[in-house]
Amino acid sequence: MREILGRRLQRLRDRFQSLRPERGRSGGTSALLEAALDCATTWQWPVLPGVGRSGTDGTRCACPDPDCAVPGAHPFDPGLLAASTDPRMVSWWWTNRPTAPVLMATGGTAPCAVSLPAGAAARALVRLDAQGLRLGPVVATPTRWALLVAPYSLERLGELLYAKDHVPSSLRFHGEGGYLLLPPSAASSGGRVRWEREPRPLPQGPADPKSPGARASQTAGAKLWLPDVEAVVDALVEASSSAPGGGSRLAY
């Protein structure tokens, strides 16, 4: 039985590999396509291409809004509801738009996220590590970092935030119906998105009893360790509140 399952798994891997465009003389497949396929097939995170940028200098968002707050780094056409884990669809999108940013639709079976200014996030990670909390992946741009957390409902998030005396406006929550820009996309504020902490498969074995407030998030893909939003929000609120200006300025 184990041998049969092994052969089936290998056939699936071969099929996914065959859907990736062949490497050409220009140096290989797009890094953005590779990243999008990895998210869709390994982790089963629904992804879609961002709108990207236009103009001779490449600084203007390709959407119709001349004052777009997040140039290039948001859904437009296709819309967010088109996000998919189908490797054929993902390959088609980035074969036709090889420079498009990679967006993950958050919530549902995919992770949610909490983001905050980069300096505050770095301090929060130090505190959470000192508490012994096992964190999941962390996405970083030059101005903001996002901690991936286990999926949560809007009702659950509302109850959590209602109990707080103050929640800085610089703290953003990417839940059901939201999205998150993933590496190695171009950040809207300049520079590139990167993994401060990369997603790694959860090792086989029992859960870590020394890691409070965290759990293995089971998706249709590989298991990934994600903390519950309740486990990290206190540290993130405190770090944002102690930022210059009380963390009230929202920097994308």
Side-chain angles (χ1 to χ4, degrees), residues 2-246:
R2 184 176 299 175
E3 293 179 358
I4 294 174
L5 290 174
R7 287 196 296 270
R8 289 180 179 176
L9 180 59
Q10 186 59 49
R11 284 198 294 270
L12 285 172
R13 288 172 177 166
D14 292 342
R15 182 184 177 190
F16 289 147
Q17 187 64 33
S18 68
L19 291 170
R20 298 173 184 251
E22 294 183 0
R23 297 183 180 274
R25 295 180 182 178
S26 61
T29 56
S30 162
L32 291 163
L33 169 58
E34 291 288 341
L37 279 171
D38 190 41
C39 290
T41 61
T42 301
W43 306 109
Q44 288 291 292
W45 296 347
V47 296
L48 76 160
V51 63
R53 303 194 185 200
S54 63
T56 56
D57 57 358
T59 59
R60 185 162 47 86
C61 187
C63 76
D65 184 0
D67 300 316
C68 182
V70 283
H74 64 88
F76 182 67
D77 184 15
L80 186 61
L81 292 179
S84 176
T85 59
D86 184 344
R88 296 166 298 181
M89 189 75 255
V90 172
S91 294
W92 186 87
W93 276 331
W94 270 274
T95 297
N96 287 277
R97 298 173 56 192
T99 62
V102 180
L103 301 180
M104 174 182 69
T106 52
T109 59
C112 291
V114 184
S115 67
L116 65 165
R123 292 192 297 273
L125 259 62
V126 170
R127 177 182 174 184
L128 291 167
D129 285 339
Q131 292 174 353
L133 181 69
R134 189 175 185 177
L135 295 174
V138 178
V139 175
T141 76
T143 57
R144 294 184 69 82
W145 290 11
L147 282 71
L148 270 60
V149 297
Y152 55 76
S153 67
L154 293 178
E155 292 79 10
R156 180 179 168 197
L157 178 64
E159 292 174 359
L160 176 65
L161 298 183
Y162 182 76
K164 305 297 178 187
D165 293 332
H166 170 65
V167 178
S169 61
S170 59
L171 203 61
R172 298 185 67 195
F173 296 88
H174 310 257
E176 186 75 29
Y179 62 90
L180 187 68
L181 190 65
L182 296 181
S185 306
S188 60
S189 55
R192 289 275 166 184
V193 186
R194 62 179 177 82
W195 291 110
E196 173 67 20
R197 299 191 182 183
E198 295 185 10
R200 300 184 184 279
L202 185 68
Q204 296 295 324
D208 185 357
K210 298 179 181 180
S211 185
R215 60 183 173 139
S217 178
Q218 176 67 65
T219 68
K223 282 186 177 180
L224 181 69
W225 191 273
L226 295 171
D228 286 325
V229 65
E230 293 92 342
V232 302
V233 73
D234 283 343
L236 301 187
V237 167
E238 181 173 330
S240 296
S241 299
S242 62

